Amino acid sequence: MALNNTLFVFDIDGTLTDSVSNYLISVTKSLLELGISDIDTDYDNYKHHTDSYALRYNYERNFDTNMPKGFLDRFETEIVRQMSTIGQTKEIKGAKSLITHFRNTNTPFCFATGALPKPSFLKLNQCEIWYHEDLLATSKTHESREGFVLKAIEKAKTFYNRQNFDRIISIGDGVWDFQTAQNLSLDFVGIGNRNRVQLKDKGAKHCFEDLMEFKKWLV
């Protein structure tokens, strides 16, 4: 596969970092800390699988009013605090190696995550996975996955000084990642076994146990 004009768009939680369960605990504890007591913890069935939506949705269902300005910033700070009490995030096998390989071969990539920026930086730093803030788009600016995936692509065009890419491949672990890729007419690669059956049932053609296996297929 020609990679020099292919853009790879990486989800983070469950794709690059083994952080889904601990991160959801941090999100729930942060909502409680901010005074939101009646929390819908069925996160997989949310309209949008994003931190910003989780906060607004639970705030509005608790208080029946619009969320105040600045509350998302408080939520972001609290998540980082909660994460610090849980322990070190570990990489999905092959994540650091793959990102290093892409950097060494000048292969364009970026990050699109439903998390917020500061928790995302913390997880990537703990796993020693290289990133640049100019290649990261999050739910801080868009509640929908489509929104921040498109934002990540635009940021990558600027970072790599490209008007377009020949091919864009979205890499994620969730059914919502696959659905977003379909909605945006992007190619898709599934990572991990947690949602592998559902991804295959939905029509995902390429699914790998981890990023080491994906890298072997890629090169």
Side-chain angles (χ1 to χ4, degrees):
M1 181 187 299
L3 300 182
N4 61 342
N5 205 34
T6 296
L7 175 66
F8 293 86
V9 183
F10 286 94
D11 171 51
I12 294 178
D13 291 289
T15 301
L16 291 171
T17 63
D18 187 8
S19 51
V20 173
S21 58
N22 280 347
Y23 191 61
L24 291 179
I25 292 171
S26 296
V27 167
T28 302
K29 287 185 175 181
S30 297
L31 291 169
L32 288 168
E33 192 68 25
L34 293 177
I36 301 171
S37 56
D38 181 14
I39 301 169
D40 180 358
T41 57
D42 191 10
Y43 296 113
D44 282 353
N45 288 316
Y46 275 22
K47 177 181 179 181
H48 301 298
H49 296 85
T50 63
D51 287 1
S52 56
Y53 177 78
L55 176 62
R56 184 177 65 81
Y57 165 63
N58 282 291
Y59 186 93
E60 291 178 354
R61 72 193 293 266
N62 271 255
F63 303 113
D64 196 27
T65 187
N66 293 333
M67 190 174 69
K69 186 177 181 181
F71 212 69
L72 185 59
D73 292 332
R74 289 177 59 191
F75 185 50
E76 181 179 19
T77 299
E78 184 59 32
I79 290 175
V80 171
R81 191 181 75 82
Q82 293 292 341
M83 287 175 63
S84 68
T85 69
I86 290 178
Q88 186 88 358
T89 303
K90 296 181 179 180
E91 69 166 339
I92 296 295
K93 184 179 178 182
K96 181 180 177 180
S97 172
L98 179 62
I99 295 300
T100 300
H101 171 71
F102 278 179
R103 291 191 71 205
N104 291 340
T105 56
N106 297 314
T107 300
F109 63 92
C110 59
F111 307 92
T113 175
L116 294 169
K118 291 177 182 178
S120 300
F121 300 152
L122 179 58
K123 284 174 279 192
L124 292 171
N125 283 330
Q126 287 180 340
C127 295
E128 299 182 336
I129 296 171
W130 183 92
Y131 67 91
H132 195 292
E133 291 187 31
D134 291 344
L135 289 173
L136 177 72
T138 75
S139 70
K140 191 73 176 279
T141 55
H142 297 83
E143 282 191 354
S144 74
R145 300 197 78 83
E146 287 81 2
F148 58 74
V149 168
L150 288 174
K151 180 69 173 179
I153 293 169
E154 289 305 311
K155 293 181 81 167
K157 288 178 180 178
T158 300
F159 187 89
Y160 292 108
N161 194 26
R162 310 281 180 92
Q163 289 188 341
N164 287 292
F165 295 96
D166 294 335
R167 187 179 182 188
I168 300 176
I169 301 176
S170 174
I171 304 173
D173 67 303
V175 174
W176 42 89
D177 295 312
F178 176 65
Q179 291 171 338
T180 299
Q182 284 194 312
N183 291 343
L184 298 178
S185 299
L186 307 178
D187 292 330
F188 178 79
V189 168
I191 300 297
N193 294 323
R194 187 169 69 98
N195 296 308
R196 186 169 187 152
V197 173
Q198 297 96 311
L199 286 169
K200 287 284 191 179
D201 288 345
K202 292 283 185 179
K205 295 179 181 179
H206 302 294
C207 294
F208 300 92
E209 182 174 350
D210 53 43
L211 291 160
M212 190 69 73
E213 184 179 296
F214 170 57
K215 181 183 175 183
K216 290 177 181 177
W217 174 81
L218 194 63
V219 299

